[in-house]
Amino acid sequence: MLLTIRTTHAPATDLGYLLGKNPARSQRFDLGFGTAHVFYPEATEEACTAALLLDVDPVGLVRGRGNGDGGTLDQYVNDRPYAASSFLSVALSRVLRSAMSGVSRDRPELAATAIPLEARITVVPVRGGAEVLRRLFEPLGYVVDAEAHPLDPAHPEWGDSRYLTVTLRAETRLAALLTHLYVLIPVLDGAKHYFVGDEEVEKLLRHGEGWLAAHPERTMIASRYLKRRRSLVDQALARLVEPEPDAADEGAAPDEPTLAAVRDAEEGALEARISLHQQRLETVMQALRESGAARVLDLGCGEGKLLRMLLAEPRFTEIVGMDVSHRVLEVAADRLKLDRQPPRVRDRVRLIHGALTYRDGRLAGYDAAAVVEVIEHLDAPRLAAFERVLWEYARPETIVLTTPNAEYNVRWPTLPAGRFRHRDHRFEWTRAEFAEWAEGVCARFGYIVRLLPVGPVDEEVGAPTQMAVFTRTDSAMVDVSLESGDG
Ligand code: SAH
């Protein structure tokens, strides 16, 4: 089967940088179940087309399985070499992995930019035909074209086959297009060539971040993606938190762990002179101690500095670090040296992979949550989903949250005016904006909040970091003096 991706964004040959595949060279990848070839039938300044030809070997797939008896002929003779299926998704994730996660070494800005793109798949079986195809791709902003093929041109009365040649056009980021194809191709035919387990739920939520929750066909997508395994489908749907109706989902970009590492280093350098980071973590620790919490979440834990501080104090009996990035969790596990800790230390801490914009049963029932320098990494339209995940569903008694104070940015000598402190920040708030947001959260979910500066306080612009300590109003930890403090 064949997938082509075409752009007319000038210079069109930049597509080669985005895909990480040189237009002048054709390449071949052995994938075990077959071979993928990447080549460019067209590569000019005006238009460039990359082709991924996937040659699945159905005989090779069966060989060595040891089920010689009872096998049927269709193991050997089937549509796999010709039709797009979950094999194509696997090929995309292996051959175009970094392009799919939005990473481009040579053209990072272009990778984050919507450009005119056209994808064509020849051919794909679609259960439900062109109508289902449209229902899946049109809500994501694609202009969809489906070409039907008669079962036999000599017998038009037999009707069309279930195979379509599909063309999708949109002005979008290449990573978004590849991710949509990755998730939705197996959904089109509703079949997967491999066993579907819990891992697939995580995969669906990870690749669906920013678009699946608001998709009108999310139920069909989850159901077909997870091969109709009821418990998995329920789990996935429960964790998809719908954004508020007025919160448009446009422009949501998935997190990019590799770039994030570079960006973290930049932010680190910027703040180094006063070791703001350390000061911030100590302030958060103090707030957690004062809350009386024993079971604590560190949401968006990153490389685990706060986890290490929590682990050093026996009063914190259960510590859970969660992050959306597998890579930073690996670093955290490494830094905590968990494999070298005695069991009584090791057993107090757990690292889990998850996204804060999805409802997650694993977060319920804790005393406190720390969310340190994380919300500014969330797309503003996803904030409403995050609020519900933490304040409505997880609902710890105490939430300690920090974020940069945008007003302070004029005091950073190396930061150009109008720039954020970190390239991955989606917004930075002034003290008034933070206060307004925090008070809105309290009103919506039944919490009270204290706002505190972190770091040296400048008379005019305040402190570099702002911290909010939320306390659930129905919790024993709220004392009356606090409640009436400002009012
Ligand atoms: N709290 C840490 C890390 C802050 S950097 C510290 O203070 O050092 C922000 C972290 O949030 C990153 O590790 C990033 O991977 C994580 N993150 C970003 N978006 C997220 C999301 N939607 N869900 C969970 N974690 C997220």
Side-chain angles (χ1 to χ4, degrees):
M1 56 74 31
L2 183 67
L3 165 71
T4 60
I5 294 172
R6 182 171 196 267
T7 187
T8 50
H9 174 85
T13 42
D14 273 359
L15 183 62
Y17 290 113
L18 293 182
L19 291 170
K21 302 281 177 281
N22 183 348
R25 211 153 60 85
S26 104
Q27 292 185 60
R28 186 195 142 98
F29 302 86
D30 183 10
L31 300 173
F33 55 84
T35 312
H37 303 266
V38 177
F39 56 95
Y40 291 73
E42 153 187 66
T44 68
E45 297 278 291
E46 294 76 41
C48 183
T49 301
L52 175 75
L53 175 80
L54 181 59
D55 194 9
V56 177
D57 172 11
V59 179
L61 280 175
V62 180
R63 200 182 293 134
R65 288 234 179 123
N67 57 345
D69 49 280
T72 55
L73 188 61
D74 68 3
Q75 296 184 87
Y76 300 98
V77 182
N78 53 42
D79 68 1
R80 282 182 172 161
Y82 317 106
S85 65
S86 51
F87 286 107
L88 176 59
S89 291
V90 175
L92 282 175
S93 73
R94 296 228 203 123
V95 176
L96 302 177
R97 174 178 291 279
S98 44
M100 201 165 115
S101 54
V103 174
S104 166
R105 204 188 45 213
D106 299 304
R107 294 288 184 278
E109 264 135 45
L110 192 59
T113 308
I115 58 174
L117 288 169
E118 177 185 298
R120 175 169 299 167
I121 315 167
T122 324
V123 290
V124 59
V126 183
R127 230 168 357 111
E131 200 210 311
V132 162
L133 179 74
R134 292 213 165 80
R135 273 161 50 196
L136 290 172
F137 282 96
E138 282 178 354
L140 297 169
Y142 293 93
V143 176
V144 176
D145 189 57
E147 188 192 336
H149 300 284
L151 272 174
D152 186 337
H155 294 278
E157 72 280 8
W158 290 358
D160 289 332
S161 81
R162 63 194 179 99
Y163 296 94
L164 300 174
T165 297
V166 171
T167 309
L168 306 165
R169 289 186 196 87
E171 181 117 347
T172 186
R173 289 177 304 115
L174 179 65
L177 169 68
L178 294 172
T179 304
H180 294 150
L181 291 173
Y182 173 85
V183 172
L184 294 178
I185 285 169
V187 167
L188 290 172
D189 76 343
K192 274 213 175 130
H193 66 272
Y194 52 87
F195 177 73
V196 166
D198 289 340
E199 274 280 284
E200 289 303 284
V201 175
E202 299 305 326
K203 234 198 266 174
L204 176 64
L205 294 178
R206 184 152 38 95
H207 292 289
E209 169 93 61
W211 61 273
L212 185 54
H215 197 297
E217 298 294 347
R218 60 187 170 276
T219 308
M220 170 168 56
I221 295 171
S223 167
R224 287 187 176 194
Y225 190 92
L226 299 167
K227 278 193 172 167
R228 300 181 192 280
R229 288 194 51 197
R230 198 66 259 167
S231 64
L232 298 182
V233 175
D234 288 347
Q235 194 186 324
L237 290 174
R239 286 173 59 192
L240 280 178
V241 178
E242 274 181 79
E244 302 292 297
D246 59 337
D249 231 356
E250 255 107 56
D255 287 289
E256 295 155 6
T258 329
L259 279 184
V262 179
R263 293 164 180 181
D264 285 345
E266 283 180 8
E267 185 177 35
L270 195 61
E271 294 186 343
R273 64 191 68 225
I274 52 166
S275 182
L276 177 57
H277 195 70
Q278 193 55 30
Q279 218 173 326
R280 188 190 294 133
L281 294 177
E282 272 156 21
T283 316
V284 169
M285 281 296 289
Q286 190 52 30
L288 290 172
R289 285 184 205 114
E290 283 168 13
S291 78
R295 305 176 62 239
V296 183
L297 299 165
D298 181 8
L299 304 175
C301 62
E303 298 181 351
K305 285 208 191 95
L306 185 67
L307 295 174
R308 197 159 53 186
M309 294 166 80
L310 289 163
L311 205 52
E313 296 190 18
R315 72 168 83 210
F316 299 110
T317 55
E318 193 180 333
I319 303 158
V320 173
M322 174 165 123
D323 206 283
V324 76
S325 159
H326 273 297
R327 197 193 55 81
V328 302
L329 286 175
E330 276 166 23
V331 177
D334 212 43
R335 296 228 171 128
L336 292 168
K337 302 190 180 65
L338 289 180
D339 49 339
R340 270 175 278 158
Q341 301 282 3
R344 71 190 151 73
V345 176
R346 194 173 55 213
D347 293 348
R348 283 167 49 224
V349 65
R350 214 149 36 89
L351 298 176
I352 62 177
H353 178 242
L356 281 171
T357 42
Y358 292 105
R359 181 176 180 174
D360 193 329
R362 296 173 299 178
L363 305 183
Y366 286 83
D367 303 327
V371 194
V372 181
E373 306 293 285
V374 175
I375 58 166
E376 62 277 7
H377 293 263
L378 305 178
D379 282 304
R382 305 289 294 152
L383 262 185
F386 163 62
E387 289 169 18
R388 298 188 60 194
V389 168
L390 185 52
W391 281 266
E392 182 177 334
Y393 298 123
R395 244 185 132 57
E397 279 172 16
T398 305
I399 297 170
V400 183
L401 183 146
T402 75
T403 194
N405 164 18
E407 293 163 83
Y408 196 90
N409 289 354
V410 296
R411 295 286 183 268
W412 298 117
T414 55
L415 191 68
R419 274 261 320 267
F420 293 152
R421 289 182 204 178
H422 190 281
R423 276 198 278 143
D424 193 46
H425 286 180
R426 309 298 160 91
F427 57 85
E428 284 176 1
W429 279 331
T430 62
R431 286 169 292 173
E433 285 166 331
F434 186 49
E436 193 191 330
W437 171 77
E439 274 149 25
V441 167
C442 290
R444 283 194 287 285
F445 302 105
Y447 278 75
I448 57 162
V449 70
R450 262 183 309 153
L451 297 171
L452 302 151
V454 181
V457 180
D458 180 286
E459 219 175 277
E460 201 186 323
V461 296
T465 295
Q466 32 190 355
M467 179 167 89
V469 181
F470 295 87
T471 311
R472 214 170 69 198
T473 45
D474 59 0
S475 94
M477 305 313 298
V478 176
D479 71 52
V480 184
S481 63
L482 263 182
E483 266 183 301
S484 55
D486 292 317

